[in-house]
Amino acid sequence: MILIKNGTLHTAVSKEPLQADILVDGGKIVKIGAGLSSEGAEVIDASGLNVYPGFVEAHCHIGLDGYGIGYEGHDYNELNDPVTPQLRSIDGINPFDPCMEMAAKAGVTCMATGPGSSNAIGGTFVAMKPHGKRVDNMIVKFPVAMKCAFGENPKRCYQKNTITSRMTNAALIREALKKASLYKAKVEAAGDDASKLPAYDQKSEALIPVLNKEIPLKAHAHQANDLCTALRIAREFDLDITLEHVTEGHMIVDELAKENVPLAVGPTFGHASKFELQNKTWETPGVLAKAGCHVSIITDAPVIPLHYLPLCAGLAMKAGMDEYDALRAITINPAEHIGVADRVGSLEEGKDADIVIMDGTPFTVEGVVKHVFIDGEEI
């Protein structure tokens, strides 16, 4: 058992901080309260320190895009086929990627990582902890979403032979979903009679969980029109969807507020390296949050190194985002966005003991991480 005493707790589910202790046992938060007994527990004195839930990244590619390496570590984009729903992130992740440890030591204790945006449909994301030697033992939930992409990236990657317009990209996604829908109907009609089953189709099989709303489409879209196309397709097929990047979200905030879908905003730090990023601004997360949207802030690591996730929230605050909204945008909101809020994203009894203890706040460069716990283990 571990007892974290006398800390200032920022739970991410209550706006006001509270002075309290946290009792950890069996990798879980078992009790939160004032004056908890320390009998039989290792005591960590958090007096004068701030205590946060482990930070959560809703969208990145670490483990699939090697650190300090070339093509040997490039495993996040498959460039032989623009439609690859059958690909699974867990088959490419390297748990010894140095970015894992960097993120963990900065307090990022859970992230969704998966395929990049070269393909119209790219494959499945996983939610995992950045601590361990074997991916199978690091998984929080798999799969969490099916990646798809709109806009410039698929066009650029396949402009010579397959995708030369946004219309073609959208058509390929529709075609794959319609084929999967027909395949699913045939499988269901066959029932237990194997002789009536359609010929096995790995791509269509992989899309059945999307059609069944077991996982959402995770739609890469920067430009306002691409955001609307992603929503249009999701509504056509009655699918769940999350929107990723949302660079021009502030330009259609009224439309996104009506849609009420999870939004992952970023990566915002850095140069506008392509046309669809021309309107990116740190104001976007705050504008969307103030309108009542469900907002997560993302690094899209390695675009922004994952260990800078909390500082991204600080830059959004500098641009006008409310501090509580900013905290929620790197804790409980991304946990909800990727479907793991039952385990991570807030300081609550019964949840995983993913805890960050800091001198100062995570939103400034002056903040210093003193302790990080993942599943109750200090790392």
Side-chain angles (χ1 to χ4, degrees):
M1 286 194 300
I2 298 170
L3 182 65
I4 301 169
K5 285 196 67 69
N6 303 319
T8 301
L9 275 55
H10 304 264
T11 64
V13 289
S14 175
K15 188 165 187 176
E16 297 303 320
L18 67 147
Q19 297 295 130
D21 306 336
I22 303 176
L23 183 63
V24 172
D25 192 22
K28 299 288 185 179
I29 296 172
V30 295
K31 187 71 175 176
I32 297 176
L36 298 182
S37 172
S38 61
E39 184 177 354
E42 174 190 349
V43 176
I44 294 177
D45 185 6
S47 299
L49 302 177
N50 289 303
V51 184
Y52 298 91
F55 309 125
V56 182
E57 166 75 39
H59 181 115
C60 71
H61 310 286
I62 72 167
L64 290 160
D65 187 9
Y67 184 77
I69 193 172
Y71 79 93
E72 301 91 342
H74 182 147
D75 288 307
Y76 62 98
N77 274 331
E78 174 56 61
L79 297 172
N80 293 316
D81 183 348
V83 180
T84 56
Q86 73 276 20
L87 301 186
R88 300 180 177 190
S89 56
I90 55 174
D91 295 329
I93 291 170
N94 175 16
F96 294 96
D97 179 351
C99 296
M100 299 275 186
E101 184 178 6
M102 294 178 195
K105 287 185 174 180
V108 181
T109 58
C110 182
M111 70 277 188
T113 187
S117 51
S118 65
N119 291 0
I121 302 179
T124 46
F125 266 62
V126 62
M128 60 182 290
K129 306 286 181 79
H131 182 58
K133 297 180 180 180
R134 182 176 179 177
V135 169
D136 308 72
N137 301 328
M138 301 160 70
I139 293 171
V140 179
K141 182 180 179 181
F142 177 80
V144 297
M146 176 65 70
K147 179 70 179 290
C148 63
F150 298 83
E152 294 178 24
N153 285 11
K155 282 180 61 177
R156 184 184 70 253
C157 293
Y158 291 96
Q159 60 183 310
K160 293 182 179 180
N161 52 23
T162 310
I163 301 173
T164 59
S165 74
R166 282 174 162 82
M167 294 182 293
T168 299
N169 190 75
L172 286 173
I173 294 172
R174 283 192 179 94
E175 180 183 38
L177 290 169
K178 185 62 177 179
K179 282 183 176 179
S181 179
L182 295 172
Y183 178 84
K184 174 176 177 282
K186 291 177 181 178
V187 170
E188 291 173 349
D192 296 329
D193 188 347
S195 66
K196 295 181 179 179
L197 285 172
Y200 179 66
D201 181 341
Q202 190 179 29
K203 292 182 179 183
S204 293
E205 190 80 23
L207 285 168
I208 288 176
V210 177
L211 297 172
N212 289 342
K213 292 188 174 183
E214 296 166 16
I215 58 173
L217 285 176
K218 192 175 185 68
H220 163 114
H222 289 280
Q223 216 164 264
N225 58 324
D226 293 323
L227 293 165
C228 294
T229 298
L231 289 167
R232 185 181 311 117
I233 290 174
R235 301 306 176 232
E236 287 174 18
F237 287 88
D238 188 26
L239 308 175
D240 291 334
I241 190 170
T242 65
L243 297 178
E244 317 290 312
H245 306 308
V246 199
T247 304
E248 293 187 349
H250 58 283
M251 297 166 59
I252 53 169
V253 60
D254 53 337
E255 295 294 332
L256 294 178
K258 287 187 291 186
E259 289 288 347
N260 193 33
V261 300
L263 310 174
V265 182
T268 310
F269 189 83
H271 188 67
S273 57
K274 51 187 176 178
F275 181 81
E276 64 187 6
L277 301 182
Q278 64 176 320
N279 292 308
K280 74 173 180 174
T281 169
W282 285 109
E283 295 177 3
T284 305
V287 169
L288 293 169
K290 286 175 183 175
C293 297
H294 187 283
V295 178
S296 300
I297 291 172
I298 61 171
T299 64
D300 198 23
V303 179
I304 301 171
L306 186 49
H307 49 278
Y308 291 137
L309 174 63
L311 289 179
C312 291
L315 288 166
M317 286 169 52
K318 184 179 179 181
M321 191 175 197
D322 175 79
E323 181 174 353
Y324 182 56
D325 288 339
L327 174 62
R328 288 176 62 86
I330 59 169
T331 53
I332 190 62
N333 282 4
E336 293 172 346
H337 187 110
I338 60 177
V340 294
D342 59 323
R343 287 186 54 182
V344 303
S346 60
L347 296 177
E348 295 182 87
E349 294 175 2
K351 286 198 173 183
D352 293 1
D354 294 356
I355 301 168
V356 183
I357 303 175
M358 297 194 64
D359 184 1
T361 83
F363 307 122
T364 68
V365 294
E366 290 85 2
V368 177
V369 174
K370 293 291 188 179
H371 304 272
V372 177
F373 295 87
I374 295 180
D375 295 324
E377 178 185 352
E378 184 164 11
I379 57 91

